[in-house]
Amino acid sequence: MAQLYYRYSTMNAGKTIDLIKVAYNYEERGKKVMVFTSALDNRFIEGKVVSRAGLSRDAIAVSEETNILQMFLEEDAKGKVDCVLVDECQFLKKHHVQELVEIVDSCDVPVLAYGLKNDFRNELFEGSKYMLIYADKIEEIKTICWCGRKATMVGKIENGKLVKTGPQIEIGGNEKYVSLCRKHYNDGRLGE
């Protein structure tokens, strides 16, 4: 029985590397995978998942209007799709998550979705909220704060200081965001 997996973490935990590894493992065994990523994440090339370590692979860019279920059914009709992988799932809309659920429940195909859980304001993203509601398995991918403790928060940096207000979605990498433990997120310390 297929399941919907939600694998979440803060920044720099290796979510994209894990997705690329899973895709490789399926394909190495002759299985067909579909990889999706958010069209909002424009740091690299649209239609690619790219890890900070430099690994990348092609993906289907998902916008608000994208019907993931329809795209899956069309591709599956050409040849059985064995697994669906989603990067940056925090940017999905409710209907996208429900389409992933339909792929799992009606087509019996596993879906593994990777993303952040909370934003720099410590609020859930829409995609994260619905992944927490619908996922069969929820798994944390761990990373650490500068102090060595487990990082659970995403901090946003502006002018060398931690900020906790502003628009929820501002695409950026290490120049804009940092993973912090709860203590250092709350007290605003970005390093020793």
Side-chain angles (χ1 to χ4, degrees):
M1 172 69 65
Q3 294 187 321
L4 175 59
Y5 296 84
Y6 175 36
R7 295 182 172 167
Y8 74 90
S9 71
T10 61
M11 306 279 290
N12 293 321
K15 297 179 294 294
T16 302
I17 286 177
D18 195 61
L19 179 147
I20 293 169
K21 176 191 74 174
V22 170
Y24 176 82
N25 287 340
Y26 268 87
E27 291 170 342
E28 186 179 43
R29 288 161 183 79
K31 304 293 184 183
K32 184 176 174 182
V33 298
M34 287 185 79
V35 179
F36 294 91
T37 190
S38 173
L40 290 176
D41 188 357
N42 57 9
R43 290 175 293 161
F44 307 105
I45 300 167
E46 184 174 310
K48 284 232 184 250
V49 292
V50 180
S51 77
R52 284 179 177 78
L55 298 175
S56 67
R57 70 167 290 135
D58 291 336
I60 299 163
V62 175
S63 67
E64 190 167 341
E65 299 79 29
T66 302
N67 185 320
I68 295 172
L69 176 60
Q70 186 62 42
M71 294 181 88
F72 168 83
L73 292 172
E74 289 170 6
E75 191 62 30
D76 194 55
K78 297 175 194 171
K80 180 176 175 10
V81 175
D82 297 291
C83 181
V84 173
L85 302 168
V86 183
D87 200 24
E88 304 292 352
C89 73
Q90 71 271 11
F91 297 135
L92 297 178
K93 297 298 181 186
K94 180 180 181 180
H95 72 90
H96 293 131
V97 176
Q98 290 172 325
E99 291 159 10
L100 296 174
V101 168
E102 192 66 23
I103 292 168
V104 171
D105 292 348
S106 296
C107 304
D108 199 30
V109 172
V111 174
L112 289 78
Y114 296 81
L116 300 173
K117 180 174 54 95
N118 42 300
D119 66 16
F120 72 94
R121 302 171 309 178
N122 207 20
E123 301 288 336
L124 291 175
F125 288 94
E126 181 176 348
S128 306
K129 173 184 173 181
Y130 288 103
M131 288 303 301
L132 286 167
I133 290 169
Y134 286 110
D136 298 299
K137 296 251 167 109
I138 300 169
E139 302 169 351
E140 181 181 24
I141 300 172
K142 295 175 180 67
T143 192
I144 59 171
C145 177
W146 61 266
C147 69
R149 288 188 219 150
K150 181 172 97 169
T152 57
M153 307 289 178
V154 175
K156 181 178 175 188
I157 304 165
E158 286 183 1
N159 301 318
K161 303 230 184 284
L162 187 70
V163 296
K164 299 179 184 177
T165 60
Q168 182 179 52
I169 298 174
E170 287 186 44
I171 304 301
N174 293 344
E175 78 289 349
K176 189 178 281 195
Y177 296 102
V178 63
S179 295
L180 297 168
C181 66
R182 183 178 56 230
K183 175 182 176 15
H184 291 121
Y185 173 84
N186 286 334
D187 70 17
R189 288 182 50 208
L190 298 172
E192 295 182 274

